[in-house]
Amino acid sequence: MWTANRWKDYELIDCGRGEKLERWGNEILVRPDPQAIWDTPRSNRGWKKHDGRYLRSKTGGGHWEKESLPASWKVSYGNLTFKVGPMNFKHTGLFPEQAANWDFAQEMIRGAGRPISVLNLFAYTGGATVACAAAGASVCHVDAAKGMVAWAKENAKLSHLEDAPIRWIVDDCGKFIDREIRRGRRYDALIMDPPSYGRGPSGEIWKLEENLYPFLQKVVQVLSDEPLFIIVNSYTTGLAPSVLTYMLETLVSKKYGGHTDSQELGLPVTESGLVLPCGSTGRWMCK
């Protein structure tokens, strides 16, 4: 398991009974988590005295009990700074476990010894975009949600990267890739964080289990002749990390060599010393 254990502005304090107790900067949140099915004593006072809690509805969805929670605030990871805040469906605008992938991407970029171009698909609020740009890469950031791309631009500015070579694209990722293939544009690194389920601009249904492999078949066509790395994330319950390995080995390693490693991502839990699993990641690297 790859563990995001270098945070100072984020802490997973405790988890259990389907919830997690977190510290985001100075704010204490309680949010649902389907992986935390065990029980804990809940002795930490944050379980009763928190700044905000997301409560699920029995009929679907849910709502925030915000208490004294501000609309947004900032957290930092090393020299990166991000805006976070309560969003729909329990989210905060950042997935802290992804810091393990940010570290990996930055290490690969800094060690490449050449200019690196990165394509970040389903790029959300730009955690990976900002990390790669801070390491010296040029980045193409693509997401279909205009508001998320605007949020990502804010994160770049907060991290003093407003003048970094980042292309901000609001578009359907599939249609964007089709155009890039026709244009002959190529990238040295790919990062993908596709949803488990979604609908396209024309009502197309995306199911990760059915659509990820053919989509990846298409995406690898925009790789340069000397690709550096690929990161594919999956938050789909039941999809084993080894599945990501098989796809990347089949589609990338057979052509370019290199090797693939796929593992769970995890967040260390302060109270118990356990590590909460938070989805899976497949990483292909050139060496």
Side-chain angles (χ1 to χ4, degrees):
M1 182 182 288
W2 290 313
T3 305
N5 55 10
R6 298 181 182 178
W7 277 100
K8 291 182 170 54
D9 274 6
Y10 173 85
E11 179 186 8
L12 179 51
I13 301 168
D14 195 11
C15 58
R17 304 183 206 171
E19 290 184 307
K20 55 190 174 185
L21 176 66
E22 307 166 292
R23 178 181 59 82
W24 292 80
N26 295 322
E27 308 298 331
I28 303 298
L29 304 184
V30 177
R31 296 192 294 156
D33 194 291
Q35 299 284 0
I37 62 174
W38 52 85
D39 199 357
T40 65
R42 295 201 175 197
S43 54
N44 190 285
R45 64 191 295 270
W47 285 112
K48 294 182 178 179
K49 188 174 178 57
H50 47 74
D51 300 295
R53 185 177 204 153
Y54 188 89
L55 296 174
R56 288 194 184 278
S57 169
K58 293 181 179 179
T59 57
H63 68 279
W64 281 95
E65 288 184 345
K66 296 183 182 179
E67 307 293 339
S68 58
L69 198 63
S72 67
W73 63 99
K74 293 181 288 186
V75 297
S76 293
Y77 182 77
N79 64 340
L80 310 178
T81 301
F82 305 100
K83 183 186 84 170
V84 295
M87 299 172 62
N88 293 336
F89 193 63
K90 78 178 183 179
H91 296 311
T92 62
L94 200 67
F95 293 92
E97 65 275 7
Q98 287 295 329
N101 281 330
W102 305 340
D103 292 342
F104 165 78
Q106 289 191 322
E107 182 180 352
M108 294 293 291
I109 292 165
R110 287 170 176 153
R114 58 186 170 98
I116 297 298
S117 59
V118 178
L119 175 60
N120 187 12
L121 298 171
F122 310 98
Y124 196 48
T125 60
T129 294
V130 171
C132 291
S138 60
V139 186
C140 181
H141 174 109
V142 187
D143 197 281
K146 185 177 180 180
M148 294 300 100
V149 176
W151 193 325
K153 288 182 180 180
E154 287 187 66
N155 286 334
K157 186 174 182 179
L158 288 172
S159 297
H160 307 291
L161 293 166
E162 60 267 40
D163 296 324
I166 303 173
R167 293 170 62 207
W168 303 104
I169 308 293
V170 179
D171 200 356
D172 174 78
C173 289
K175 293 183 177 180
F176 175 80
I177 287 296
D178 288 338
R179 288 198 302 275
E180 293 293 86
I181 292 171
R182 291 196 297 268
R183 293 167 180 153
R185 195 185 294 270
R186 298 292 180 261
Y187 299 88
D188 302 305
L190 301 174
I191 300 173
M192 293 171 48
D193 201 351
S196 297
Y197 179 87
R199 288 187 179 273
S202 301
E204 313 95 313
I205 294 177
W206 165 280
K207 291 183 178 179
L208 191 83
E209 303 93 325
E210 298 175 7
N211 298 108
L212 181 57
Y213 185 80
F215 183 72
L216 189 57
Q217 278 183 305
K218 183 184 295 186
V219 172
V220 296
Q221 295 179 55
V222 302
L223 282 173
S224 69
D225 293 334
E226 296 183 83
L228 183 66
F229 69 85
I230 298 173
I231 298 173
V232 180
N233 292 306
S234 170
Y235 285 93
T236 299
T237 303
L239 190 68
S242 56
V243 174
L244 300 175
T245 293
Y246 300 153
M247 287 192 297
L248 289 168
E249 287 289 297
T250 300
L251 294 174
V252 185
S253 294
K254 284 188 176 181
K255 181 176 180 180
Y256 295 101
H259 72 282
T260 305
D261 191 6
S262 300
Q263 298 188 32
E264 289 181 303
L265 293 178
L267 289 167
V269 186
T270 302
E271 290 282 317
S272 64
L274 301 175
V275 178
L276 178 68
C278 305
S280 302
T281 287
R283 297 174 181 170
W284 174 87
M285 58 212 82
C286 63
K287 58 184 177 179

